[in-house]
Amino acid sequence: MRCPECQQRNPTGQKFCGECGASLARSPTSARHAAPKAYTPKHLAERILTSRSALEGERKQVTILFADLKASMELLAERDPEEAQQLLDPVLEGMMEAVHRYEGTVNQVMGDGIMALFGAPVAHEDHAVRACYAALDMQAAMRRQTEEVRRGHGIELGMRVGINSGEVVVRTIGSDLRMDYSAVGQTTHLAARMEQLAIPGTVRLTAATLGLVEGHVAVRALGPVPVKGLDSPVEVYELVGAGPRRSRLHVAAARGLTQFVGRECELEEVHQALGRAAAGEGQVVGVVGEPGVGKSRLVWEGTHSHRTHGWLRLETRSLSYGKATPYLPVVDLLKTYFGLEDRDEARTIHEKVLGKLLALDRSFEPMLAIFLALLDVAVEAPEWQALEPSQRRQRTLDAVIRLLQRESQFQPVLVVFEDLQWIDSETHALLDRLVQGLPTSRFMLFVNYRPGYAHDWENEAHYSQLRLEPLPQESAEEMLRMLLGEDTTVGPLAQNLIELTDGNPFFLEECVQTLVETKVLVGVRGAYRLHRAGQPPQVPPTVQAVLAARIDRLPPDEKRLLQVASVIGRDVPFALLQTISDLPEEALHSSLTHLEAAGFLYETSLDPDLEYSFKHALTHEVAYGSLLKDRRRSLHALILEVLEERAGGQATAVDRLAHHAVRGEVWDRAVGYLRQAVAGAITRSAHREAVGYVEQALSALDHLPECREKLEEAIDLRFELRNAAWPLGTMARILDALHEAEALAEALGDRRRMSLASLYLC
């Protein structure tokens, strides 16, 4: 079947195009499912339309989900269209509700299935986790729906779901929210293939998705499966269920935590706060820092200390997709306190909560309805039902705070709230009330959050804030020694990793893990050796998701400016940025100030010229990688023109000119600048660098039209390769280059170059 949208051919029976995701089949579809704007919740639609100008024409890392009813046409073939619609609409509504619950976007709807994207247009650093949770919720809703349909119509329905993660190019986002995009590589094709492989009632996902969700969900390996269009089989996994809603730290702890380094002073402050709280001087400790700097690890070390023995320890966290759910972290905390499990039925929950309250203090019995309502258990309490919403809110806050304060009279209480940047307003109000009542209790509130979260506790005498920055050089080196070991081959790599990550511990660990998975490093943790030299570290998908989500949260103008700056390089001269950004000077200064405050750029030089640098090399790579190739190419070409104009024919940094000429695909000038760079590198005895320049020049030369001058230059470049590579002893490459030069010279009838090639060969 040929796709009506992109004309790609697809196997017969496939419901979605493997290239663009468009519907290939037509089946009964309600008018309200015809366009995304009709079924997308208002708050999501507003976010998409607000940010669309910053997303159009970008490369995005996403997770794609396909879901459909298996054999639905056979089930509905003999039914009246209206009856068929009545059967299918609730199924579609359940699918879409699950997607929207986790802030995904339903991009395609057909009569019995949907295609959804997580990570675009709304950016999320945990897009794969959200997609998996949505798939599990879909199947749970489907099981409930199947029971009703079986009783009412005698039909057995089954849903199959496929998930894959990868890169797509967002082309345009219409006013109706329909997104025009194209997949990079096999992203969409594999997601559709996973759906086709799934049996009804199951979810299939690829290794690419598993790498982003491992530790957050339970899976079962199904082994390699051949996929049409791919050279090698694809590892397939069945999504079995959700794991505990855990942080990245809990996932890391499962595979073994790296020794704690570089935070000794901060940990000592936590220990002192615990001591004051144990003595009856209630404390609030807030840890603030960018993603990956070790906020959760500091909390872990502080709470798992011998100093907390004998304490009641309760831990909870806000979820990135839970901001719209009131009291979500509080409910999680209460489940731990009351000893509740996911499989507990309403009656069991009632018994556990009542028993715990009576054991604590019989005066809590009248509050039973409040706690049951929080735990989503039906409450038969007329007095509670009769209260106004504002009165229920007040009593809920009072009950939870009184419960915690009463516990602190029997034993010291340590309550941990993580990721406050995603907290809902009701939980925020609870924390404000809790902080006010701490000074005379044996209670410590330990929280962490990212910059940008606002609270009113700074002026409280019992509040202390610990701001975490990336690890200093010595601590980062110590951490990498424990991760990599001390084999001589990993020494230079360690320094490269520190420069790449700027000492961010999470980024360091993920980069090492990626090097292990790609077989650049071999061995065991703490005793690796370099297996493939010269391989630049890749940006791990987990790190890319975190950084891309941060960049996407910038205002559109600032995001575009950051992307333009990334094309210039990691070091960004203000004058050059001003010329190519096409922004008024005042607006440019304002945007740069905001990007500095947000931790993306920092000022590195004022004299003689103002210059900025990217704070993280990884941020630079992610910002650059989000641009479409055409946009990158045009910006590089523009930068080349500006640099040439400013040089005015004078000697300047030819390696920089060569870089922009190559990336801008200005091939004739690229060859010239690269040859100058070769000569400069040889003069500095940077022979390996010189060889690289020659290889680039030969590649650039291939793009120029055939002529005698091109062939002469190709011969001369091979002679230059011989001069550059000779001190390195790479004789095989030198001989190949000289034989190629000799053959080209002979074809040209150039006796001088033939003689020189023969002389070199001798």
Side-chain angles (χ1 to χ4, degrees), residues 36 40 44 48 99-100 103-107 115-118 120-122 177:
T40 302
L44 278 181
I48 293 168
V99 170
H100 294 145
E103 298 188 333
T105 304
V106 178
N107 196 49
M115 171 197 172
L117 298 177
F118 294 82
V122 180
L177 305 185

Side-chain angles (χ1 to χ4, degrees), residues 10 15 138 160 222 229 382 392 418 446 462 484 520 550 592 627 636 671 692 704 746:
N10 292 272
K15 296 179 180 180
M138 280 182 198
R160 55 185 188 173
L222 300 178
R392 291 189 189 182
E418 294 206 62
F446 201 179
H462 54 290
L484 298 174
V520 175
R550 280 198 69 214
L592 286 170
L627 287 166
H636 279 296
V671 174
L704 295 176
E746 186 176 358

Side-chain angles (χ1 to χ4, degrees), residues 387-423:
L387 294 176
E388 294 291 328
S390 60
Q391 293 173 310
R392 291 189 189 182
R393 179 180 186 271
Q394 187 62 43
R395 293 199 184 185
T396 298
L397 296 177
D398 290 342
V400 175
I401 289 171
R402 186 182 164 193
L403 177 76
L404 295 173
Q405 289 177 337
R406 182 60 174 150
E407 276 289 358
S408 71
Q409 295 173 8
F410 295 104
Q411 60 191 323
V413 175
L414 173 61
V415 172
V416 175
F417 270 82
E418 294 206 62
D419 294 322
L420 293 191
Q421 70 274 2
W422 293 317
I423 204 169

Side-chain angles (χ1 to χ4, degrees), residues 27 121 193 230 254 276 289 304 381 388 531:
S27 53
R193 185 70 180 125
L230 297 183
R276 290 192 293 271
H304 290 74
E388 294 291 328
H531 179 59

Side-chain angles (χ1 to χ4, degrees), residues 347-384:
R347 180 177 177 180
T348 304
I349 294 173
H350 186 286
E351 292 172 354
K352 287 184 177 181
V353 173
L354 179 59
K356 186 78 171 180
L357 292 177
L358 293 178
L360 177 64
D361 191 325
R362 297 195 70 86
S363 66
F364 278 92
E365 187 173 3
M367 300 179 190
L368 175 64
I370 298 174
F371 291 108
L372 290 178
L374 270 174
L375 295 165
D376 201 25
V377 175
V379 177
E380 296 180 7
E383 181 184 350
W384 171 256

Side-chain angles (χ1 to χ4, degrees), residues 542-554:
T542 47
V543 174
Q544 182 162 354
V546 170
L547 294 176
R550 280 198 69 214
I551 293 171
D552 280 347
R553 285 193 287 270
L554 288 170

